[in-house]
Amino acid sequence: MRWLGFLFSAVILGSFALPWVDSPDYGTWSLLDGVRALADANPDLRNFDDLSNLPNPASDIDPSNTILWAAIAFAVSFPLAALFGLIGLFGYYSKLMGFVLGAIPVGLLAYAAYGAYRARAAGAFDQLPPDLWQQLSTQAQAHLGLGAPAYFGAGVLLFLTAIFAPSRR
């Protein structure tokens, strides 16, 4: 479990710098590019000496917003992958660590599937063209980079490895 956990944690962490969008029309975009653009747009983020001038968004957060919690889980998964990868590099990677880190991408996929199911049950897909899924598949093949498949693939494999890996005891 130790080396597979380290490998999958490294892939999840590496997906932060891999392109999530890679197309001739839109160019290449990774999450790292998004963080750089955010830092360039807000110069206050560059000065870490004095953070008292930043706004406090905690007063505007709605805790019942499930998309916010999904975004927080997604954002937390990268530092968690770095921490667990570092711990795995030092020779210890437990099944619980793999289960927790792998559960985040699996949970995000389950949340997206549940949202699509609820939208379908509400009739949101009734007015869509019949060849929409073929169009979406074609667009995804043309514009999807390696970041998203690496993130979700490594997360699912880590989750399954943590569940089915034999215990040492």
Side-chain angles (χ1 to χ4, degrees):
M1 176 69 196
R2 179 179 65 183
W3 292 110
L4 284 176
F6 170 72
L7 174 71
F8 293 141
S9 294
V11 170
I12 289 174
L13 184 61
S15 70
F16 189 77
L18 287 174
W20 285 58
V21 174
D22 187 13
S23 81
D25 299 335
Y26 303 113
T28 317
W29 185 83
S30 68
L31 296 175
L32 185 61
D33 296 332
V35 170
R36 286 180 184 157
L38 180 65
D40 290 342
N42 190 353
D44 293 335
L45 293 176
R46 286 189 232 138
N47 185 7
F48 290 113
D49 296 334
D50 181 25
L51 296 178
S52 62
N53 58 350
L54 291 177
N56 183 9
S59 61
D60 300 332
I61 293 177
D62 179 18
S64 65
N65 185 356
T66 57
I67 294 176
L68 173 70
W69 291 109
I72 290 171
F74 179 72
V76 163
S77 67
F78 294 105
L80 202 59
L83 176 67
F84 289 171
L86 185 64
I87 291 171
L89 189 62
F90 287 130
Y92 179 76
Y93 203 99
S94 71
K95 290 177 75 168
L96 179 63
M97 290 167 46
F99 183 80
V100 168
L101 182 58
I104 294 173
V106 169
L108 292 173
L109 286 173
Y111 177 70
Y114 177 69
Y117 170 77
R118 293 276 311 234
R120 182 176 180 218
F125 295 149
D126 293 344
Q127 303 299 323
L128 298 176
D131 64 338
L132 176 70
W133 299 115
Q134 179 64 36
Q135 293 174 9
L136 287 176
S137 174
T138 305
Q139 291 297 319
Q141 290 173 6
H143 301 296
L144 190 63
L146 291 174
Y151 176 80
F152 290 110
V156 168
L157 289 174
L158 182 61
F159 186 72
L160 292 175
T161 302
I163 289 175
F164 295 115
S167 181
R168 292 185 203 172
R169 296 179 185 169

